[in-house]
Amino acid sequence: MSDWKQQLEDLVAPAVARSRHIDRILVDRDALSQAGAVFKECFGAERAFLIADDNTMAAAGARLDAVLQACGIAVERMVLPSRPRPKPTLALAQEVRARWQAADGEAVPVSVGSGVLTDLVKHAAFMEGQPFFCVATAASMDGYASAGAPLVEDGFKHTIPCAPPRAILADLDVIAAAPAEMTGWGYGDLAGKVPAGGDWILADALGIEPLDSVAWPLVQDRLRDWLADPAALAARDPAATAGLFAGLTVTGLAMEFHGSSRPASGADHQIAHLWEMENLSHGGQPVSHGACVAVGTLATLALFDWLLDQDLTRLDRDRVLAGRPGPDAIEATIRQAFPEPAVAERALAETMIKLPSRDTQAERLERIVKTWPALRGRLKTQLLSAAEMRRLLAAAGAPASAGGIGLDPAHTKATVLRARFMRRRYTVLDFLAETGLLAAATDTVFAVAAAP
C-alpha cells in the first residue's frame, strides 16, 4: 500500500468506525470500478436513482450508471442543468425528493456531484427516512460526511440537521480531473478551519462552549499538514488531492460527532453565508461556497491579526459596559441590516439566544483582562496571519482577495458587521463587539485598498 493510501486508511477508518451513520468511505484511484460492489454491500438493493447535473453526469455519472447496471442494479436518472449552477435551496431539495418519489421511491438515491447536489439529496433522503449513496466528483467542500445540509429557506441560509450518507465513494481520477477552481474552493473551505478554531478557542476561554476532545483533534491536529502544499494540489498531485479530500471528509465526520458544525464553521462561514444569501455572482456565475469561505477566512484572520496586536489587559471595562447597547438597539440594528422581515426575524432569534446579560458581559470582560496574555498565546499558536493565508490560497488557485469574487472593502466590511447576527455561535465578531472593539477593528482592517 502506498504511503498516502495508508495514511488515508489510518485517518478515515477509525472515524468511520465511530460514525453512527456512515458504513463505508472509499477513496482511491479508479474507485468507480468498485461502485457496484460498494452499493450492494451497503444497501443490498437492486435499484438506484441517480441525481446529477450535466457536468457531474459527464464526469462520473455515465460511468457510474454503467458500472451499477453491469452489477444487475437498475438505474434511473434525474439530471439538472449545470448552467447556471444549481442553488442550495430548500425548494430545489423538495423538487429532488418529489422527482425521486414519483420515479421510484424504493430506489436508493445516489448523489453524483459535490456540495449543492450532495446537500439536496441529503435533505431529500432524510425527509424520506432512507439512506443514500454519495459519489463525490470534486474536493470542493467539507459537507460530504456532515450531518447537515446548508440550504436557503425563505432567504435565510441555515444548516438543516440530516443524516450523512451511508456510503461515500471518491474516485481520485475524477476528483483530480475536476476544474482546478473547484479544488481551490475545497482548499478555501478547509482553510476556514483555521479561524474557526480561533473562534472556538475564544468560546472555550470564556466558558461559553468547551473544546470537544474528539472533534477538535480530528480537525485541528492535521490541519496544517493538509494545507501545507497548495502548489501540489494545483498540479493535481494524487497524494495531495487525497489529503485534501480526507481533510474535508474527516471534518464532516467531526461535525457529526460533535452534533453541530462548530468544529468546521465560525465567523468565516457566517460571512460566506451572507454572500450566498445575496446570490453573489462574479464573471456571470454564482460564487461558490468555498470561494466565499476563502474570502471570509481572510477577513476573519485580518480581524484576528488586529486583535492580537491589542493589549486587552488595559481594557476599560466600565467604558465598555457604559456603551453596551440594549436589546431594543440591537433589534433596530438587525432590522436595518436585514430589510427582509423573515430574514430579520431569524437573525434576531439567533442573536438574542447568545446575547449576554450585563452581569455576564462584566464577568467575561474581567476574565479577558486577567487571562489575555495566555489567551493571546493560544490564539497565536492556532492562527495563521491573513498575509500567509492569502499566499496559500493563491497557490491553491482559490480566491485570495475580496476582489477575486467581485467585492470591494466597503461591501466586505458591511457584510462582516452583519455576520455576527447570523448564528447563535460565539465568534471573534462577538468577542470584538462585547469588548467594544468591533468598530475600531473593522474601520482599520477594511480601510485600506489591499484589505481582504
Side-chain angles (χ1 to χ4, degrees):
M1 184 180 290
S2 62
D3 288 345
W4 67 262
K5 283 189 178 182
Q6 187 60 60
Q7 292 173 12
L8 195 64
E9 180 69 16
D10 292 345
L11 176 66
V12 172
V16 170
R18 184 185 289 271
S19 175
R20 292 173 297 153
H21 301 281
I22 301 174
D23 292 341
R24 182 80 186 279
I25 296 178
L26 174 62
V27 183
D28 203 351
R29 304 196 69 171
D30 195 31
L32 278 174
S33 65
Q34 303 178 56
V38 172
F39 186 92
K40 288 188 171 182
E41 170 195 333
C42 294
F43 299 95
E46 297 180 351
R47 303 195 300 280
F49 187 79
L50 271 57
I51 301 97
D53 67 20
D54 298 332
N55 289 336
T56 63
M57 201 68 203
R63 186 177 175 209
L64 174 65
D65 187 326
V67 168
L68 292 177
Q69 292 203 53
C71 292
I73 299 162
V75 178
E76 293 199 50
R77 303 176 177 183
M78 175 181 179
V79 182
L80 300 169
S82 58
R83 293 186 71 86
R85 283 193 292 267
K87 295 180 180 179
T89 66
L90 181 61
L92 186 52
Q94 291 169 337
E95 180 183 338
V96 168
R97 178 186 177 191
R99 292 271 296 275
W100 159 41
Q101 290 299 300
D104 185 354
E106 297 302 313
V108 174
V110 182
S111 63
V112 186
S114 54
V116 173
L117 286 163
T118 301
D119 289 333
L120 295 174
V121 177
K122 185 183 296 182
H123 185 271
F126 183 72
M127 294 306 294
E128 291 295 328
Q130 293 195 37
F132 78 103
F133 187 16
C134 171
V135 176
T137 58
S140 58
M141 56 94 210
D142 64 7
Y144 289 116
S146 71
L151 299 172
V152 176
E153 179 182 9
D154 296 327
F156 190 88
K157 187 169 187 181
H158 65 116
T159 299
I160 301 172
C162 300
R166 178 174 289 177
I168 299 171
L169 183 146
D171 188 317
L172 289 177
D173 298 314
V174 173
I175 299 289
E181 62 182 5
M182 297 190 75
T183 301
W185 301 339
Y187 189 91
D189 205 2
L190 194 61
K193 305 342 168 198
V194 174
D199 287 333
W200 204 352
I201 285 171
L202 290 175
D204 175 72
L206 296 179
I208 298 167
E209 187 174 355
L211 299 184
D212 185 312
S213 62
V214 173
W216 174 269
L218 197 57
V219 174
Q220 297 294 336
D221 281 2
R222 297 175 178 84
L223 181 57
R224 297 297 180 92
D225 292 336
W226 294 327
L227 297 173
D229 196 357
L233 283 172
R236 303 180 186 271
D237 177 74
T241 303
L244 175 62
F245 191 86
L248 292 167
T249 302
V250 167
T251 297
L253 285 159
M255 289 188 267
E256 178 197 338
F257 301 156
H258 185 66
S260 83
S261 60
R262 168 60 97 173
S265 171
D268 59 297
H269 271 64
Q270 291 171 206
I271 294 166
H273 284 167
L274 278 173
W275 289 326
E276 293 172 84
M277 286 164 55
E278 292 172 12
N279 295 315
L280 181 66
S281 294
H282 185 54
Q285 281 289 316
V287 179
S288 74
H289 171 73
C292 289
V293 172
V295 179
T297 293
L298 290 173
T300 306
L301 288 175
L303 292 173
F304 270 117
D305 287 344
W306 184 92
L307 177 61
L308 293 175
D309 282 340
Q310 310 308 307
D311 180 7
L312 298 193
T313 64
R314 301 166 62 87
L315 191 66
D316 187 339
R317 288 160 285 175
D318 292 337
R319 179 192 62 78
V320 173
L321 290 171
R324 164 188 164 87
D328 290 345
I330 292 174
E331 179 175 354
T333 299
I334 290 173
R335 294 195 182 281
Q336 183 176 13
F338 300 98
E340 295 181 20
V343 177
E345 289 297 331
R346 294 294 297 270
L348 186 61
E350 292 291 314
T351 301
M352 290 307 176
I353 287 171
K354 66 179 175 180
L355 190 67
S357 67
R358 190 182 190 284
D359 287 346
T360 297
Q361 185 174 348
E363 291 171 2
R364 290 179 185 174
L365 293 172
E366 180 72 19
R367 185 180 297 196
I368 290 167
V369 169
K370 289 182 177 179
T371 65
W372 178 241
L375 177 54
R376 179 161 55 180
R378 289 179 67 189
L379 291 170
K380 285 185 174 181
T381 298
Q382 165 67 24
L383 298 169
L384 297 174
S385 70
E388 175 62 10
M389 183 60 77
R390 186 177 293 110
R391 182 189 69 79
L392 292 171
L393 289 168
S401 69
I405 59 172
L407 298 175
D408 58 25
H411 191 155
T412 309
K413 177 182 177 181
T415 304
V416 169
L417 289 173
R418 298 164 66 213
R420 68 188 175 99
F421 303 124
M422 280 287 294
R423 296 285 184 271
R424 66 193 67 184
R425 181 163 301 152
Y426 191 91
T427 73
V428 66
L429 302 178
D430 301 296
F431 184 93
L432 289 167
E434 290 182 15
T435 52
L437 298 172
L438 183 60
T442 53
D443 286 349
T444 302
V445 166
F446 302 108
V448 294

